[in-house]
Amino acid sequence: MFKILFFSIFFLFHPVHVTLTSIDYIPEMDSFKVFVRMYFDDFLRDCKLNDGDIQNIDFSGDNSSSRDVMEKYLAEKVIIKVNEKLLSGKLQNMKLADNEISMNLEYSTGKKPKTITVKNLIMTGLYTDQSNMIIVRVNDFEEGVKLTSDIKEQTFKIK
């Protein structure tokens, strides 16, 4: 009985510390569509570590207070530069289900990307085994990379 209870509790807490970020260039709009997915409980821990005031925020719905918190968090944690110029993103929507929070953002660029630098700091101060998976797609160019607590930034040279 004890073993069953122990393993049931163990599996409630996911042992993997990973996020996924995909960055897709939309040439017709001169913008990037960015998708970010992470575990919600990790997000809450990371916010608390960085003095985020999230105690009275309801993330179950797509409301303005939760959107503001998430937009600020992502602006600090996911830094995207195109051709050396820092971009700012606008949160389009977010969804919380099964302890995963998924967000869609839009970043306007105004120029055809030659280089894209991505710095991902999501939970890198929280977990030493953090993996932030990044996929960048621009026209025929597609490349993926794993960023970690040690390697937080990657520059992609678009061909």
Side-chain angles (χ1 to χ4, degrees), residues 48-88:
K48 289 176 187 172
L49 179 72
N50 294 294
D51 297 324
D53 185 20
I54 56 171
Q55 286 189 339
N56 298 319
I57 307 293
D58 176 19
F59 284 91
S60 63
D62 196 3
N63 58 63
S64 64
S65 56
S66 64
R67 290 172 63 84
D68 290 346
V69 167
M70 186 57 73
E71 205 165 70
K72 181 178 184 250
Y73 175 82
L74 291 173
E76 293 171 0
K77 298 289 184 167
V78 179
I79 296 112
I80 300 173
K81 292 181 183 177
V82 173
N83 305 334
E84 308 272 330
K85 180 185 173 198
L86 179 65
L87 302 183
S88 62

Side-chain angles (χ1 to χ4, degrees), residues 83-159:
N83 305 334
E84 308 272 330
K85 180 185 173 198
L86 179 65
L87 302 183
S88 62
K90 182 73 177 152
L91 185 65
Q92 302 299 303
N93 58 55
M94 68 180 172
K95 179 182 173 190
L96 175 61
D98 299 325
N99 194 38
E100 291 183 346
I101 190 158
S102 302
M103 289 85 39
N104 289 294
L105 298 101
E106 186 171 338
Y107 290 75
S108 295
T109 178
K111 292 184 180 181
K112 183 178 177 188
K114 294 178 180 138
T115 62
I116 300 171
T117 301
V118 181
K119 186 179 210 177
N120 192 322
L121 303 171
I122 295 176
M123 291 171 251
T124 55
L126 189 60
Y127 301 117
T128 57
D129 65 342
Q130 180 65 35
S131 294
N132 293 319
M133 309 305 289
I134 310 292
I135 300 169
V136 173
R137 290 183 205 95
V138 177
N139 302 323
D140 293 334
F141 175 88
E142 182 174 338
E143 191 173 324
V145 67
K146 176 175 88 170
L147 299 178
T148 65
S149 296
D150 295 326
I151 301 168
K152 299 176 179 102
E153 183 175 303
Q154 176 74 34
T155 297
F156 301 88
K157 294 183 179 169
I158 311 305
K159 299 168 182 142

